Amino acid sequence: MQTLTPILSTVTAAFLASFVEVVEAFTIVLAVGVTRSWRPALTGAALALALLAALVLAFGPLLALVPITTLQFVVGVLLILFGMRWLRKAILRSVGVIALHDEAAAFSEETATLRQQANDRRADYLAGLASFKAVLLEGVEVVFIVIAVGAAHGQTLYASLGALAAFVLVMAIGLAVHRPLARVPENALKFVVGLMLTSFGIFWTGEGIGAEWPGADLALLAIFAIVALASFAMVRWLRGTYPVSAGGLAR
């Protein structure tokens, strides 16, 4: 029987990662809707979602053909690489080496671009294309995360529910306020997601090569704690070298 620990960790990882990606996509869709019109914004987003659904339906069943140990190893390695990429950016942003992502700035930049294209005969097409690309690019990452954190232990349904909850929450808040979700502590979320994906990756890579983790699924918590301590130690070390940006991990 599946224990509660992997289920909760799967849902949480999928929810947080999807939340960040949906916020970024929603910023562009909102810019298109407010600046141009909601028709190209929603059309572009709907086409991207349809394409993503088709990709999942086409390639999802193929995972059942892969031996579980091979799947765990491959997915584990990919998650380590993916998680370390998120961690690297979050750490560098927290110490001021690279700028924090600003949804308000992204919204302003996109609206400025759309206004410049207002007199173009293809304005609606370009606006819809911007919405399509934003949803597709961020959606591909969501699909990868859902499949990766769910497939290795047969928890794709739980991962999908986490991603769906993130989508519904962002849409509800965003449509209610009609403005970018600039107050979301995005860097902190990316830091946590990076820790979770890296921990999943280490755990499943070990299972893929036949390792037996002490405590079984509870080993995930220990791995997460070790990766977190190493990451915070790196942040602390880097802060002695680089100036800390305003907000740090609070953003």
Side-chain angles (χ1 to χ4, degrees):
M1 290 183 64
Q2 295 172 327
T3 64
L4 195 59
T5 299
I7 293 175
L8 286 177
S9 57
T10 295
V11 173
T12 303
F15 174 83
L16 293 178
S18 300
F19 189 90
V20 173
E21 302 297 345
V22 174
V23 165
E24 294 184 0
F26 178 77
T27 299
I28 305 303
V29 175
L30 179 64
V32 173
V34 170
T35 306
R36 186 66 191 171
S37 75
W38 285 104
R39 182 177 178 179
L42 296 178
T43 300
L47 289 174
L49 290 173
L51 179 56
L52 289 170
L55 291 174
V56 171
L57 292 174
F59 294 104
L62 296 178
L63 294 176
L65 304 178
V66 182
I68 186 62
T69 54
T70 302
L71 181 63
Q72 287 174 330
F73 179 78
V74 172
V75 168
V77 171
L78 290 175
L79 278 178
I80 290 173
L81 296 175
F82 201 70
M84 290 298 292
R85 182 178 71 113
W86 278 48
L87 263 182
R88 173 183 171 274
K89 288 184 177 180
I91 289 172
L92 292 177
R93 281 178 176 144
S94 71
V95 297
V97 176
I98 57 178
L100 294 169
H101 186 76
D102 188 337
E103 292 301 328
F107 180 83
S108 298
E109 182 179 348
E110 187 64 30
T111 53
T113 300
L114 291 168
R115 287 192 181 101
Q116 290 176 354
Q117 299 170 347
N119 295 325
D120 193 315
R121 289 189 303 174
R122 303 173 301 161
D124 281 346
Y125 166 78
L126 295 173
L129 183 61
S131 179
F132 174 83
K133 289 193 298 183
V135 174
L136 182 63
L137 291 176
E138 305 300 341
V140 166
E141 293 205 31
V142 171
V143 169
F144 169 78
I145 290 167
V146 168
I147 291 176
V149 302
H153 273 187
Q155 296 173 352
T156 305
L157 175 61
Y158 295 113
S160 300
L161 291 175
L164 179 62
F167 176 81
V168 171
L169 181 60
V170 172
M171 291 299 106
I173 297 174
L175 292 175
V177 301
H178 272 75
R179 63 184 61 185
L181 304 184
R183 294 183 180 274
V184 173
E186 185 175 326
N187 200 55
L189 289 178
K190 286 187 174 181
F191 197 95
V192 173
V193 171
L195 292 175
M196 296 189 74
L197 295 184
T198 304
S199 300
F200 272 115
I202 294 172
F203 183 81
W204 287 335
T205 300
E207 287 201 335
I209 60 177
E212 292 190 11
W213 295 103
D217 292 330
L218 289 175
L220 264 172
L221 300 177
I223 295 171
F224 180 88
I226 293 171
V227 175
L229 286 173
S231 299
F232 281 111
M234 188 173 296
V235 170
R236 191 178 184 86
W237 175 69
L238 287 173
R239 281 180 176 170
T241 307
Y242 297 97
V244 182
S245 61
L249 283 178
R251 284 286 299 147

